[in-house]
Amino acid sequence: MDEDLLLLIISSPSGAGKTTLTRDLLERHPALAFSVSHTTRKPRDGEVSGRDYHFVDRATFDSLVERKAFAEWAEVHGNRYGTALSEIERCRDEGKRGIVFDIDYQGAAQIKAARSDAVGVFVLPPSMGELKERLQRRASDDADTIERRFKNAKREIEHYGEFDYVIVNDDLEQAKARLNAIVLAEQSRRERMAGRAKDLLQASRDD
Ligand code: ADP
Ligand code: 5GP
């Protein structure tokens, strides 16, 4: 994979706001592609297959695991989720400058193990009380699912130390600005700009 391609992982406990933040980031940066994961979870109202997720049944998911079709996969809140290698290829073939992964800490660890230059951002809620309220306000899951996701939050937050950046999503506009700032800084890293500098040097030699 191209070394100057930004691999940006965004993780958080469920309800902290990473989907909201990721959507805003993709609107600001048309040169970033969203990696559409496979999942065995049922679609929520308004979710579209192929845009939000590739919704598949368990047998299909397991056969993809068997065929080593995933760059990473994990069991999260009782369902399976995974990033297909073909999805990464698709994003790269579109000529984008980066790929955004909305995946959990287990998937983040697998991507980081394969690509140590991948950038991890962990989103925290301002408080556990607010996290619960956001899960309830989203109104897309039943009470048992909300309870299960809330119980898992502590275990997920314990993994914040495996990420490069941490954003507290309290004021939404500020959190969006912080995520944008991280992307701008990461895009400006010398390693990702080396191609541009070399092109200029080559052109100046040709003059
Ligand atoms: P996640 O993808 O992390 O599960 P979502 O992006 O779906 O979380 O956000 C959960 C709920 O919280 C949604 O209803 C969303 O509109 C709301 N939300 C997100 N960020 C904020 C914020 N900073 N302040 C208040 N509500 C928020
Ligand atoms: P949700 O069901 O709320 O869309 O997502 C639940 C959790 O699964 C979130 O933490 C989300 O980041 C994670 N997730 C979504 N796609 C993937 C994936 O492809 N791989 C992994 N490991 N986690 C994922």
Side-chain angles (χ1 to χ4, degrees):
M1 203 183 293
D2 314 346
E3 290 305 313
D4 55 358
L5 196 68
L6 172 64
L7 302 187
L8 185 74
I9 301 163
I10 305 183
S11 294
S12 79
S14 186
K18 77 189 155 313
T19 305
T20 309
L21 290 171
T22 301
R23 285 205 181 128
D24 178 73
L25 186 73
L26 292 164
E27 273 173 29
R28 289 181 198 228
H29 294 268
L32 295 180
F34 179 65
S35 167
V36 181
S37 296
H38 283 66
T39 183
T40 61
R41 165 166 82 60
K42 298 275 167 290
R44 293 180 183 134
D45 279 351
E47 282 185 329
V48 176
S49 195
R51 183 192 71 185
D52 300 292
Y53 281 108
H54 299 290
F55 294 100
V56 294
D57 59 24
R58 178 69 183 257
T60 305
F61 193 100
D62 289 350
S63 84
L64 289 168
V65 171
E66 192 96 334
R67 280 154 40 203
K68 302 201 185 317
F70 288 118
E72 63 77 30
W73 72 273
E75 181 122 2
V76 192
H77 314 308
N79 288 298
R80 292 190 169 181
Y81 297 82
T83 305
L85 287 163
S86 58
E87 187 62 21
I88 297 177
E89 290 294 309
R90 179 189 65 79
C91 295
R92 199 191 55 185
D93 292 348
E94 283 178 7
K96 302 279 184 173
R97 285 184 68 198
I99 308 178
V100 181
F101 301 90
D102 171 344
I103 60 178
D104 86 321
Y105 69 90
Q106 304 171 82
Q110 294 171 56
I111 297 281
K112 276 264 194 184
R115 274 286 298 262
S116 61
D117 63 329
V119 177
V121 179
F122 197 79
V123 179
L124 288 174
S127 68
M128 297 310 280
E130 174 65 14
L131 181 67
K132 188 154 213 182
E133 277 180 26
R134 285 185 192 171
L135 281 168
Q136 287 163 345
R137 238 185 286 137
R138 184 164 65 188
S140 55
D141 298 312
D142 59 46
D144 284 353
T145 305
I146 289 175
E147 200 47 44
R148 176 178 209 166
R149 285 171 175 246
F150 185 68
K151 281 208 177 112
N152 287 340
K154 180 172 169 282
R155 193 166 37 83
E156 293 179 308
I157 293 171
E158 280 169 355
H159 290 270
Y160 81 93
E162 294 153 27
F163 292 77
D164 302 292
Y165 298 92
V166 177
I167 295 176
V168 178
N169 181 20
D170 189 350
D171 177 84
L172 183 57
E173 292 311 310
Q174 280 194 25
K176 287 176 180 174
R178 277 180 191 270
L179 184 57
N180 186 39
I182 290 167
V183 169
L184 293 177
E186 286 293 334
Q187 283 178 334
S188 309
R189 271 192 182 279
R190 186 191 61 237
E191 297 84 349
R192 293 196 185 91
M193 296 306 288
R196 290 286 196 92
K198 282 177 188 155
D199 285 350
L200 280 174
L201 289 171
Q202 184 62 46
S204 65
R205 248 176 248 129
D206 295 343
D207 281 346

